[in-house]
Amino acid sequence: MSYWFTIASLTGINVLLAYSVYASFMSGQVSIGQVAFFGVGAYVGASLTVLGGFDLASAVMAGGFAGAAASLFVGVPTLRLKGYHFTIATVAFAEAMRVVLHNLKYGRPRSSGNVGDQWLGPDGATGFRHISYLNDHSISTGQYAVIVWLIVAVVVVAFFLVERSRIARILRTIEEDEVVARSIGVPVARYKVAAFACGGFIAGISGALYAHLLTFISGNDFIIHLSTIALAYVVIGGGQTMWGPLIGAIIFTVLPETLRPIREFRIELFGLLIILVMLFRPAGMISAAMVRRWGVALTSKAGAKPPRKAP
Amino acid sequence: MLLTAVEGLAYGGLYALLGLGFFLTYGVLRRIDLAYGTVVMTSVYLGAMMVGGLGLPWVGVLALTLVVGIPLSLLVAYLAFVLVRQDARFSMAATLGIWMVLEELMLQSPGRGRGQAIVNPLQDLSWWPWGLQIRIDHMVILGLALAVAGLLTRFLTRSRTGLAIRVSAYDASVAALLGISHARMMVLATVIASAVGCVAGWSFAMAQSGIDLHFGMWATVKGLVILVLGGTQSIALIVTAAIGLGVAERVGSELIGSGYRDLVGYGLILALLAVEPFLRPGETRFGDSR
């Protein structure tokens, strides 16, 4: 059962990562750098519990803020640029951050431990070991899965509310045509940066949760492939509605676990699905029109009067 | 330090070849092709694997790389830029999918993703001016990059076909009005971009005496860095940026440690992107970003 609770936690973390991509995707920006904010969140969150003695909630929040700060660092100067400069900048930032995390060394010696394993904190290429908060505080994998999914629920509700607000309409207008958005007085850069920072915050939170779940992280965990997979969740699930990233991340995390024989081909399956979706259903599995139809069907069903019986 | 700078110059030659392929794809064809590096890696990897398996001479790797790489590039272009064309983001996402599929297929190929050795006939040849060791193969690659850059510049600016490719990439309807076949020009440009990429990949693999799966992502990221540094307006700027990057990386790694070598390029790209709007408001070195 512990295995499935771990899968449940990983699914929740992937859902968060997908929403971090979706936040800027709403305004038409494609970020391949979410893994950098994920990594920053992971290192900050783990450092706070392991070295600073912080509680998990504070560490996860701090991871989120660190992710948001990193996203502002790259987003503020580059989101004003036209075309795909932004995407390229996020690629460069992700790779730069991987190099930094791979070489990072700080912390203190451990009082116990085998030879070569006596460092508490990130130890360069060896990675960051002994993130043992869950074990030290007797938090079971089941309890951790509940914590992760509570955070996922908060994020899903937040996106549900945002999607029905003026903010979402503005972001979608920016996505459709920036010039039109600017002509009606929308501060385009501010909205794009804010959306990107929200994405960075969510990625940072998911990174901190990931570090505590795995108990060991290293710079090589945060390669650009993770970003591309997160983008795949959004693209396959559907980038027009907030349900897309949720469905995409759940299906493509759980499916390879349930169908063991295809697990080895998970990445091919992802890649193939992206190509097929882009060819035949660019809006993704769940489109905005589909959600509208479901909404209409649900409200009409709820509001419909029972048919009168013939006298 | 001087030796390091000279080494950097040689790497600059490799980067220049890579940058030229990216220049054609992003600058001329205006495609955001994230699978470019992976297609090059796949071609060189399969070429090296087949040559190793069949016991062919070392030039066989280049021939097989081109035989695999050009049709593969055309397939990618057809899938991601002809069949998917509603939105540039969708095309980019499709190339992302192709990148994933190709890389995983190589991982499950008979080579199982392990590094493939490539014979470098010039490996042990060096030139020793003023006590500095300069590898002949590095100089050959630098010369090759400069020659390809010169030929491409001449082709794109002086020849009728080159001009037709540029017009066609800029506006297909204008090209049609001028009697230019847009589809044919795009195929030709894709073939040239792919051939340059294959030569770059092969040169790099030969200089390193082998290739592994990391090359695909490395080439894509490095190519993007060169493209941002050099812009998409001029081949001369691409070559200058590539050589500058090679030297800066080598000298940088000497100063801040080899572990942080790649940070030089990424730091440059971020710094440049950050200051660009202030330097030339309303204008980017990428030109029209349609």
Side-chain angles (χ1 to χ4, degrees):
Chain A
M1 201 60 195
S2 169
Y3 170 77
W4 285 105
F5 282 134
T6 305
I7 297 298
S9 299
L10 267 178
T11 308
I13 288 165
N14 284 341
V15 169
L16 291 175
L17 200 54
Y19 274 113
S20 83
V21 174
Y22 179 71
S24 52
F25 202 86
M26 284 175 83
S27 64
Q29 304 302 311
V30 179
S31 167
I32 309 183
Q34 299 311 107
V35 69
F37 317 132
F38 184 71
V40 168
Y43 270 75
V44 168
S47 299
L48 288 179
T49 56
V50 173
L51 301 169
F54 281 67
D55 61 277
L56 184 66
S58 311
V60 168
M61 284 305 283
F65 284 116
S71 68
L72 286 174
F73 175 78
V74 67
V76 168
T78 53
L79 275 163
R80 284 172 291 117
L81 295 165
K82 288 177 184 173
Y84 283 87
H85 278 80
F86 170 71
T87 304
I88 294 171
T90 59
V91 171
F93 186 73
E95 276 299 287
M97 200 44 74
R98 182 188 61 76
V99 175
V100 170
L101 295 178
H102 188 73
N103 290 285
L104 214 54
K105 178 161 181 165
Y106 59 81
R108 58 171 183 266
R110 283 175 78 205
S111 50
S112 59
N114 301 324
V115 177
D117 186 18
Q118 290 165 327
W119 189 257
L120 212 52
D123 189 7
T126 314
F128 191 157
R129 288 172 289 185
H130 311 296
I131 308 167
S132 55
Y133 185 92
L134 301 187
N135 202 26
D136 295 347
H137 292 81
S138 306
I139 298 173
S140 68
T141 48
Q143 287 167 328
Y144 195 64
V146 171
I147 294 170
V148 170
W149 276 94
L150 280 175
I151 295 171
V152 171
V154 170
V155 171
V156 169
V157 169
F159 271 95
F160 183 82
L161 295 174
V162 165
E163 198 118 291
R164 276 144 193 80
S165 72
R166 188 170 162 266
I167 297 169
R169 282 195 292 277
I170 291 173
L171 290 174
R172 294 296 184 192
T173 309
I174 295 171
E175 182 191 19
E176 284 295 317
D177 199 324
E178 264 188 42
V179 179
V180 169
R182 203 167 284 128
S183 70
I184 56 171
V186 172
V188 171
R190 204 177 298 166
Y191 270 94
K192 277 161 65 172
V193 168
F196 191 53
C198 286
F201 181 75
I202 299 168
I205 284 181
S206 59
L209 291 170
Y210 175 82
H212 288 93
L213 177 69
L214 263 67
T215 72
F216 166 76
I217 51 173
S218 79
N220 286 337
D221 289 341
F222 307 107
I223 56 172
I224 221 158
H225 282 64
L226 200 59
S227 279
T228 59
I229 290 175
L231 182 60
Y233 295 145
V234 177
V235 166
I236 296 171
Q240 293 180 344
T241 154
M242 50 90 45
W243 299 110
L246 180 71
I247 301 297
I250 291 177
I251 289 179
F252 292 102
T253 309
V254 175
L255 202 66
E257 298 301 330
T258 47
L259 302 169
R260 283 270 169 177
I262 65 158
R263 201 178 167 188
E264 196 187 343
F265 303 99
R266 188 176 70 119
I267 306 292
E268 280 108 318
L269 189 73
F270 270 142
L272 209 60
L273 264 169
I274 295 179
I275 300 165
L276 291 174
V277 166
M278 289 304 105
L279 281 174
F280 301 110
R281 201 175 163 78
M285 283 162 60
I286 300 180
S287 66
M290 195 188 259
V291 171
R292 269 198 300 275
R293 273 201 306 276
W294 289 345
V296 170
L298 273 175
T299 46
S300 62
K301 200 177 274 181
K305 290 176 183 171
R308 252 189 235 167
K309 280 182 185 170
Chain B
M1 189 65 81
L2 188 62
L3 179 62
T4 314
V6 173
E7 255 182 43
L9 208 64
Y11 268 84
L14 285 168
Y15 290 169
L17 274 174
L18 211 54
L20 289 172
F22 270 83
F23 170 82
L24 286 167
T25 308
Y26 287 71
V28 178
L29 289 168
R30 292 156 193 267
R31 290 174 179 165
I32 312 293
D33 183 0
L34 294 176
Y36 185 84
T38 309
V39 167
V40 170
M41 179 276 293
T42 305
S43 315
V44 182
Y45 192 87
L46 287 177
M49 210 168 70
M50 285 190 271
V51 163
L54 300 170
L56 297 173
W58 64 271
V59 295
V61 180
L62 176 61
L64 286 170
T65 298
L66 289 167
V67 166
V68 175
I70 292 173
L72 197 56
S73 297
L74 288 171
L75 180 67
V76 171
Y78 182 69
L79 279 175
F81 300 100
V82 176
L83 292 182
V84 180
R85 58 180 154 193
Q86 301 96 317
D87 187 326
R89 277 187 306 168
F90 297 158
S91 291
M92 187 176 80
T95 62
L96 201 66
I98 294 167
W99 169 7
M100 288 169 149
V101 171
L102 285 178
E103 205 166 278
E104 282 302 302
L105 283 178
M106 288 307 99
L107 203 59
Q108 281 145 16
S109 70
R112 304 302 295 171
R114 287 187 298 267
Q116 296 294 319
I118 292 178
V119 176
N120 178 358
L122 304 173
Q123 193 172 17
D124 299 325
L125 298 177
S126 290
W127 181 42
W128 295 86
W130 307 292
L132 292 173
Q133 185 193 10
I134 298 175
R135 276 175 59 174
I136 299 292
D137 55 348
H138 283 178
M139 288 302 107
V140 169
I141 291 167
L142 183 61
L144 187 65
L146 294 175
V148 172
L151 285 171
L152 271 181
T153 307
R154 202 173 167 77
F155 173 70
L156 288 173
T157 55
R158 302 277 173 86
S159 75
R160 287 173 65 86
T161 316
L163 290 170
I165 286 176
R166 288 169 64 195
V167 170
S168 192
Y170 188 75
D171 197 323
S173 46
V174 171
L177 279 173
L178 293 170
I180 299 167
S181 164
H182 174 71
R184 198 176 297 165
M185 289 303 122
M186 291 300 98
V187 167
L188 182 61
T190 306
V191 168
I192 297 170
S194 169
V196 172
C198 286
V199 171
W202 169 75
S203 308
F204 180 84
M206 206 178 65
Q208 302 287 316
S209 300
I211 188 161
D212 61 26
L213 295 192
H214 295 113
F215 177 76
M217 193 177 78
W218 178 89
T220 299
V221 174
K222 213 54 106 180
L224 290 175
V225 171
I226 296 162
L227 201 69
V228 172
L229 295 178
T232 55
Q233 306 295 310
S234 147
I235 286 180
L237 281 177
I238 286 283
V239 174
T240 310
I243 292 175
L245 180 68
V247 174
E249 274 189 3
R250 293 287 136 175
V251 173
S253 71
E254 190 84 359
L255 296 174
I256 58 174
S258 59
Y260 288 99
R261 189 183 68 205
D262 287 339
L263 265 190
V264 175
Y266 304 136
L268 277 174
I269 194 175
L270 288 171
L272 199 76
L273 287 173
V275 298
E276 179 144 3
F278 299 106
L279 294 176
R280 284 177 289 184
E283 185 191 335
T284 70
R285 284 163 312 102
F286 266 56
D288 178 12
S289 54
R290 289 177 313 153

